[in-house]
């Protein structure tokens, strides 16, 4: 029991130590503020993102965004979307399994698996395109409108990942308002 108490105390201390570290990393950031430098472009991406989400299950939206952020190594977006998923009631076990979903299929529905496979193919499109089998599986689980929205969501999160990575966004900060 002493070990568990010590571990919990260390975790609390580590969390308390995170905030100054995040603030220092954000203060040290020297890259441009994309939203301020190109507000019209930024608003267009926000609009594209909002339109892409329409009609999709919020849990599926977060799973797609988390998986693309894993693949793109975008800590800023990964932190943001895992927190959003938690706020939406997502199961902690599932969040831990997204990166290895193929080995943990029982955590995800067939529809979610199809969306995750499509997310991987589109995100890594330069590695071999979007295989017909992956597309067909997604098309079997989504009607045309839903599939178009899933594809649009994959495109928007890949855009956001690239914006965050190119501008040096710091994981642990979330500049969204409202």
């Amino acid at each position: 029991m002493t070990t568990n108490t010590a571990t919990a105390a260390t975790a609390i201390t580590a969390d308390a130590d995170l905030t100054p570290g995040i603030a220092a990393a954000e203060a040290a950031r020297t890259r441009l503020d994309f939203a301020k430098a190109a507000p019209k472009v930024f608003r267009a991406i926000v609009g594209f993102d909002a339109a892409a989400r329409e009609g999709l299950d919020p849990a599926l939206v977060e799973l797609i965004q988390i998986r693309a952020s894993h693949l793109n190594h975008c800590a800023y977006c990964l932190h943001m979307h895992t927190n959003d998923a938690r706020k939406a009631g997502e199961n902690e076990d599932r969040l831990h399994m997204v990166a290895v979903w193929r080995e943990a299929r029982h955590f995800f529905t067939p529809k979610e698996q199809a969306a995750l496979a499509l997310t991987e193919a589109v995100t890594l499109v330069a590695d071999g395109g979007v295989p017909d089998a992956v597309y067909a599986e997604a098309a079997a689980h989504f009607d045309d409108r839903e599939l178009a929205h899933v594809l649009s969501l994959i495109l928007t999160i890949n855009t956001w990942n690239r914006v965050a990575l190119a501008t040096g966004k710091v994981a642990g900060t979330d500049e969204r308002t409202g």
Side-chain angles (χ1 to χ4, degrees):
M1 190 107 181
T2 305
T3 304
N4 290 343
T5 304
T7 302
T10 301
I12 291 168
T13 303
D15 286 344
D17 291 341
L18 264 181
T19 304
I22 292 169
E26 180 62 18
R29 188 169 62 97
T30 59
R31 296 188 183 187
L32 69 83
D33 181 329
F34 187 82
K36 286 183 183 173
K40 192 172 182 181
V41 175
F42 184 81
R43 285 191 305 273
I45 300 170
V46 168
F48 183 28
D49 186 277
R53 295 165 182 259
E54 282 183 19
L56 294 178
D57 174 29
L60 181 66
V61 167
E62 296 307 329
L63 292 175
I64 289 168
Q65 293 180 123
I66 289 166
R67 186 62 187 129
S69 297
H70 282 143
L71 295 168
N72 289 319
H73 305 278
C74 185
Y76 177 81
C77 293
L78 184 58
H79 184 266
M80 179 187 299
H81 293 296
T82 54
N83 281 338
D84 288 351
R86 284 183 191 96
K87 289 175 189 168
E90 185 57 76
N91 179 308
E92 206 59 40
D93 284 339
R94 283 170 38 101
L95 291 177
H96 291 294
M97 294 297 128
V98 174
V100 293
W101 69 269
R102 291 178 193 279
E103 290 78 32
R105 290 178 185 269
H106 59 285
F107 282 91
F108 304 98
T109 67
K111 187 173 188 173
E112 290 168 338
Q113 291 175 43
L116 291 168
L118 187 62
T119 300
E120 290 175 354
V122 173
T123 300
L124 303 173
V125 70
D127 292 347
V130 178
D132 290 339
V134 170
Y135 185 89
E137 185 66 21
H141 290 281
F142 297 97
D143 65 31
D144 285 351
R145 188 199 60 76
E146 290 174 315
L147 185 56
H149 281 262
V150 167
L151 284 168
S152 297
L153 182 66
I154 296 166
L155 299 175
T156 59
I157 188 56
N158 275 279
T159 299
W160 285 126
N161 289 163
R162 282 151 178 76
V163 168
L165 290 164
T167 61
K169 292 303 216 182
V170 176
T173 64
D174 186 345
E175 298 167 356
R176 299 174 296 180
T177 58

